[in-house]
Amino acid sequence: VLALVVNTILCLSYIFLISCRKSELLGYHNAIASIGQSPMSYLESSMWLNTIMNNVWRVNDNTKSDSFGGLEPYLASFAAASLVESLSGSYKKPNGVAHVSFNSFTLGKTPPILRGITVLKVDRDLSVVYMTIDVGVLMEAELLLDVSPSSLDYKMVPTTTLSINSLDAELQLDVSVKSIPTYPYISNVNVSLTHEIPDFSLRIEPRSQK
């Protein structure tokens, strides 16, 4: 009889735990489903994402000394290519400047900090999630530009290398992510500044003479 009572209690406890677990999961799924269906927005801690960013920002290449890969060199090379293209085109130069050319660009060892991610809306018909991301930027990023003063032939004039560094900014980004039914399940990610000109500070100083 005692064994029967014990088994009954254990069975009832197991059923109770399963029921609680199902209720917990159902509540969690309902909470996810409700995101974007009301005027409320949902702010999520991004500590987990910052941890991943910190680990993939620069990844040491064990096959080569003083070499690394990761997200930072990828983004830096992408930005550098865009800068080179912009500088090779037509643009308005400051007074007293004849020529500006790209030298190098790095985002530094420290990634930006994602302070929070706010889900604003979920368009289930178009499979798009809209969110804002608050970003804190205090980086060792450095852009080097070779600047030649005005001259009929700027190539004959000594060139100054200007360093643009110590970027400090608070940004808010508007992000939309569109999903698709096949791999890789995301078709595109659109990112834009919420405010046209964010508050920022930086330092511009001569680096060397050529």
Side-chain angles (χ1 to χ4, degrees), residues 138-188:
L138 185 58
M139 304 173 66
E140 303 164 343
E142 183 179 42
L143 169 63
L144 296 181
L145 297 174
D146 295 330
V147 181
S148 297
S150 295
S151 171
L152 293 177
D153 187 359
Y154 63 81
K155 293 182 180 179
M156 303 299 295
V157 179
T159 298
T160 298
T161 300
L162 288 182
S163 171
I164 303 173
N165 56 66
S166 302
L167 177 61
D168 183 0
E170 294 289 337
L171 309 177
Q172 188 174 72
L173 304 177
D174 289 329
V175 180
S176 64
V177 180
K178 181 174 177 58
S179 58
I180 53 177
T182 56
Y183 182 84
Y185 310 116
I186 293 178
S187 62
N188 58 68

Side-chain angles (χ1 to χ4, degrees), residues 120 131-134 171-175 191-198:
L120 300 176
M131 65 191 81
T132 61
I133 301 178
D134 295 315
L171 309 177
Q172 188 174 72
L173 304 177
D174 289 329
V175 180
V191 181
S192 62
L193 289 171
T194 303
H195 308 292
E196 186 174 354
I197 304 178

Side-chain angles (χ1 to χ4, degrees), residues 6-88:
V6 171
N7 288 333
T8 302
I9 293 174
L10 290 175
C11 289
L12 290 175
S13 299
Y14 178 75
I15 293 172
F16 176 75
L17 290 174
I18 292 297
S19 176
C20 290
R21 182 60 176 162
K22 287 183 176 180
S23 297
E24 179 185 2
L25 291 175
L26 180 61
Y28 186 74
H29 286 300
N30 288 338
I32 293 176
S34 69
I35 294 176
Q37 303 303 309
S38 69
M40 295 178 61
S41 60
Y42 296 81
L43 177 65
E44 179 185 352
S45 170
S46 54
M47 183 63 71
W48 63 273
L49 188 53
N50 284 307
T51 301
I52 295 174
M53 281 277 289
N54 190 63
N55 280 275
V56 303
W57 188 247
R58 282 190 176 181
V59 182
N60 291 329
D61 185 350
N62 295 326
T63 62
K64 300 178 182 178
S65 59
D66 300 327
S67 179
F68 55 85
L71 186 60
E72 187 274 331
Y74 173 78
L75 294 177
S77 64
F78 183 81
S82 179
L83 286 168
V84 170
E85 182 179 356
S86 298
L87 291 173
S88 63

